[in-house]
Amino acid sequence: LAEKARRLRQHGLLRNPSIPWDYNVQELGWNYMLSDFQAAVALAQTERWEELRQRRERLAHLYLHHLQGHPTLRPYPFPASDKLSWHLFPVFWEEGSASRRALLYQTLQAQGFHLNLHYKPLHLHPAYQPYLQPHHRFPVADWAYERILTLPLWPDMPPACAHRLLTSLLQALSPAPLSP
């Protein structure tokens, strides 16, 4: 019962210990992870929201500048807006596949960079399997999930760290492509 309560408080997620970015929604749950202390911190942070957003925006523009025109990395098509939160920075790796992305992830993680993958399509989670029919297919979601990776982006991230990540990422992708 205690394990089920822990799982339900985190949207019913169950992490795969051998693949750090992989998780499955085993059953529909909730998000009851905000403590009183966290709520107090969140209230204090709302006063700094615009400052923090602008810091993330500067890093996002750094990423956009350096990835512009890259032959195989394409930033997510962000909407034209003057107030994006920039809480994530997803990119599509046109030559990616699940196995090649895993190798890229491991290569960068060994250099101290922790990418993430947002988001695993709902139809791949066990909790949603009962709602699917055998003929249901989601080729666009499957295609995107095999190729998407999320670059680190947080307000206090030093620009030098973003530059090092970009250098490592671009070196990992060329000239010899990752295999398999």
Side-chain angles (χ1 to χ4, degrees):
L1 182 59
E3 179 56 34
K4 183 172 183 171
R6 279 190 285 277
R7 196 169 53 249
L8 289 177
R9 77 171 181 205
Q10 296 178 5
H11 302 288
L13 296 180
L14 183 62
R15 291 234 173 240
N16 181 339
S18 63
I19 305 173
W21 65 86
D22 191 31
Y23 58 89
N24 286 301
V25 176
Q26 295 293 326
E27 51 196 311
L28 300 181
W30 303 275
N31 182 3
Y32 290 141
M33 297 183 289
L34 187 65
S35 68
D36 290 345
F37 176 77
Q38 291 167 318
V41 170
L43 285 173
Q45 291 290 77
T46 58
E47 296 172 8
R48 298 183 59 216
W49 182 86
E50 183 57 23
E51 171 197 349
L52 299 174
R53 188 199 69 77
Q54 288 175 4
R55 287 183 187 179
R56 288 189 306 268
E57 182 174 64
R58 283 191 290 274
L59 291 168
H61 285 291
L62 186 149
Y63 283 154
L64 289 168
H65 173 75
H66 287 281
L67 296 176
Q68 182 178 359
H70 190 276
T72 63
L73 290 177
R74 183 173 47 91
Y76 183 85
F78 298 104
S81 171
D82 59 345
K83 288 280 186 166
L84 295 175
S85 69
W86 297 106
H87 81 289
L88 295 174
F89 195 90
V91 295
F92 290 102
W93 182 19
E94 298 292 342
E95 295 177 354
S97 66
S99 59
R100 294 185 80 213
R101 185 187 57 197
L103 183 58
L104 177 64
Y105 181 96
Q106 292 164 356
T107 299
L108 292 174
Q109 187 175 35
Q111 296 176 38
F113 298 108
H114 299 280
L115 306 180
N116 211 330
L117 311 174
H118 294 93
Y119 288 99
K120 186 174 185 175
L122 293 179
H123 71 279
L124 299 178
H125 293 284
Y128 293 92
Q129 296 300 309
Y131 305 104
L132 298 174
Q133 299 298 319
H135 66 280
H136 287 157
R137 298 289 179 261
F138 304 93
V140 174
D142 292 335
W143 179 92
Y145 184 60
E146 284 194 352
R147 288 160 183 83
I148 200 163
L149 49 113
T150 305
L151 303 184
L153 180 69
W154 68 93
D156 293 326
M157 181 182 190
C161 180
H163 281 286
R164 285 192 310 274
L165 166 68
L166 286 164
T167 299
S168 295
L169 174 62
L170 298 176
Q171 284 176 349
L173 297 179
S174 65
L178 294 168
S179 40

